[in-house]
Amino acid sequence: MFNIYKKNFDEKDKLLNQQSENDSSFNIKKLIIENGKVVYLYPGFNFEAFSSSVKLHLHNELKQETKSKNIDESIIEIEYFSPESIADKLNVSTKFKLLLMQLNNILFFHIDLSDAVNNSGEKHSKFSISSFLNDSYKKELSAFFYENIYSSYIKKHSEKELDSDNFFIDETHLNERLFLQNILKEDETILCKLNISSFKEDAKNTFKDAENSTFIVTDKDVCIAVFNKKGILLYFESLSQKFSISRRIGKNAINYGTITWYPKRNNSSRFSDLKDIQDFTENSRIREIARLCYINKEYISAENLFQILADKEKNPFNQLSLLFIKSKKNKDSVKEYISENDFGKTIREILNTEDSELKILELFENWEIDYNDKTTFLQFFADIAESEEEKEKILPFYENIREEFKKNNKDLINQTVFDIKYAEFLINSGHKRKASQILKSLLKHLPDETVSNLLPEKTLNLTGDKSGKLLKITVLDLMAKAKGNEDSVKEIQKTAQLQPLNETRLKKLAYTKDDELKEKVTEIINILNNAGLCYTDELNYRTDYSELPVNIINDILRHPAMLKKGSFYSVQKWLSKVKTDGYSTVKSYSEKITNESNQKLFELLKNIGKIFNINQTEYFVSKGEKSTGVIGYEGGTPFLIIGHEHLNKNSNLYLNMNELQFAATSEFAHIYFKHTKITSQDVWRGVADKGSFLINTLLDVVPAAGIVGKSVKNVHKLNNLTKIIKTSNKLVSNVKNAYDAALKVTDFYRKKIKTSSKTEKEEKLLAASRLMQFTADRAGLVVSGNVKSAVKAIFLTSKYNSDLFDEVKNSSLKELLLKENNDGTFKHQELAIRFANLFSFYISDDYQQIRKILTEK
């Protein structure tokens, strides 16, 4: 590259040495070489044509008269002067001469006073001569030489124009540009040109007359060049090895063999960026400089370099890199940019590239793509990948994101959501065993979703596929998918328990090989569709049950959230401290039930008391205000009141013995668990039956913060899963929707949702009241053993729900539960929640276990 210039200067010395001082052109050549400046020329430069353009410029632009002569074939002298000379005023000539000399690929030029001045014999002060030289247009002519020669070159070689937008190209004089472009091979591209403040050789020999020094990187070479103030090259070397950087206070030193240079203050960090540049060659070096521009937020530079690269090679990874650059340059999010551009073909080409799994990972790491953008691309890749082989190639990238996510996100719900998606991807990419291991681990450590079951969004359809403990449901569904339907009866059973009003779930369980479960889910489906619910016959009921062991009642019969490890265990602890009210007024309008007055009912109630070891209970029929409902009260002697309408066979509220057994057992459970201590005015049942009805009254007497502690804190977070997870599971044809869904999960979990303290208290109280009722319903169902009777009793014993039973008769239970208010909320969601918990318990192993213990003699 440099040899041609080295040769030029050797020939210059040789030329002067060969000539005698007596030769006519010797002094002129010596004058030009010693005092002139240089311009580096390009191949094909026309010396005669250039000298003509100089004369035209002097005449047309600078308004000078000219005359020229050829000193020899390599030297032209142009004398020029102004027609309006000031010679008469100062008694001197103001003529100047421009000397141009071409030596191979270098043009020397020098401006001096004409011979008329030099040989006039008159003495002029330095001041006078300097004044004349100011009129020589030396600066204007110098600029014209550089601009004319450079523009002529670029017209022929526009592809070699130096990219002034490039972050790694410092301000460059046109003469340097000519030098740089001319040292290139035909297909070579300058990627970097950094100016240097000072240069040394052997750590001692400083180039004192060095004016400009520069560090150059092309796609094929790395080199350093040193020029003097005349533009003459003093030193040039290709750097075949890496340079090193010595960190110093104020200014770093760059070392290479015997030479040392110091960067400018404004580009010192760029040398650090380039310390490994020699590890890259050809196209990979262009890509690396583009990457460094991107990381330094010089997006235009990076894009320009990739346009060069695009002409040199077809590579889908280049297109992906351009996506990073263009989205940042346009200040779009990657998500928005992808949604507006089609990159499907590019991604598919990447997935079919050899070793693409490693290249994908390296690309995202090397380009320092942030986490949000990486998750966007992950979903994009996952949507495009179809075969297991293609998905396999994405796996290392996915695992890298997972590691980063877990490191920066310690929230259990967030981690669970992430690993659910990860396990799903593993299954789809053929790694079912690995997926199963992750899913089993998730099941052990899932966040408590009890609260989302107790306090769902009021617009949530509990008969649909977004109800229930959605995290757990999703994990179980994936486990079933990994194992196959034949081997996943337990998983299918558990998902039906979590969505027991969803007919699709129930039917899936009905298709399994478990005959007992088939019978139960068929019965629930019939109840939802009103098959036989309204006209239930009285079945054989039992009054010979044995006492249930205390541990069975406390550990299995009671709702899991009320257990010691459950979210709402402190309810029991708090209730035990509440003082009992008097109930004398309740008994005043009631008639006692005895063996003599109603033997069948008395035996039934007495047997229920035996089950719970509550043997001193009194039973009454109410004919006054309390003519409906079945209500238990705790006092010195617990008692139960049954509204007389439920015993009247001519009443629409009549309950048969199975139905009475359910209702009465539920009340005994309330007494056993001390739920009745705050029900003397039906306040608690008001909450249980009507949601937040009378809740403000309760807030005055119930220390709600002590009921559930922090368990309600995540309710909004969990409820939002119903809007997010199911959506993100679907591959949407509209790319924008797909990415919105994919990112909502991680975006949402970064946000903290604030609720008022009053709202929290209300939700805690409502959740606790529902749990107490669910526990009571579990007891009623396990003793009556009849789910139809349980549903009918729930309707007819509540003053808020009894009228709704007529609607059920005319349509179905499912239609009733799907009725909406004008604002889109479900009108009877409270009932839906209660029935869902009842049906869930009915198809559970817990129900089967307790029922077996209860019926054994």
Side-chain angles (χ1 to χ4, degrees), residues 692-798:
S692 58
F693 181 75
L694 295 177
I695 205 155
N696 289 329
T697 306
L698 272 175
L699 288 174
D700 294 333
V701 295
V702 178
I707 291 180
V708 282
K710 297 180 179 178
S711 60
V712 175
K713 292 286 186 183
N714 283 327
V715 64
H716 299 285
K717 209 172 194 182
L718 289 163
N719 282 339
N720 267 274
L721 287 173
T722 63
K723 301 173 184 176
I724 296 169
I725 291 184
K726 290 293 181 182
T727 308
S728 63
N729 278 339
K730 297 175 183 177
L731 298 180
V732 193
S733 57
N734 184 310
V735 178
K736 185 170 184 178
N737 290 341
Y739 289 107
D740 285 345
L743 289 179
K744 276 181 183 176
V745 175
T746 47
D747 287 347
F748 175 75
Y749 287 109
R750 290 191 184 88
K751 300 173 183 175
K752 293 183 179 179
I753 295 179
K754 294 181 179 179
T755 56
S756 69
S757 58
K758 181 181 177 182
T759 302
E760 269 191 36
K761 284 184 179 180
E762 289 177 356
E763 289 175 339
K764 290 173 183 178
L765 186 60
L766 183 56
S769 71
R770 286 173 177 172
L771 271 180
M772 293 178 187
Q773 189 59 62
F774 299 161
T775 295
D777 288 346
R778 287 159 70 97
L781 181 60
V782 83
V783 172
S784 71
N786 188 293
V787 70
K788 286 184 182 180
S789 297
V791 172
K792 189 174 178 183
I794 286 171
F795 273 112
L796 298 183
T797 57
S798 165

Side-chain angles (χ1 to χ4, degrees), residues 161-175:
E161 173 71 273
L162 211 59
D163 182 5
S164 57
D165 288 326
N166 189 332
F167 177 62
F168 286 93
I169 292 181
D170 283 336
E171 185 178 351
T172 308
H173 189 274
L174 292 177
N175 196 35

Side-chain angles (χ1 to χ4, degrees), residues 494-513:
K494 286 174 183 174
T495 54
Q497 284 179 240
L498 294 169
Q499 290 182 342
L501 300 180
N502 184 318
E503 287 191 57
T504 303
R505 288 283 181 196
L506 295 170
K507 287 175 181 177
K508 191 173 182 181
L509 184 56
Y511 293 143
T512 63
K513 53 191 177 185

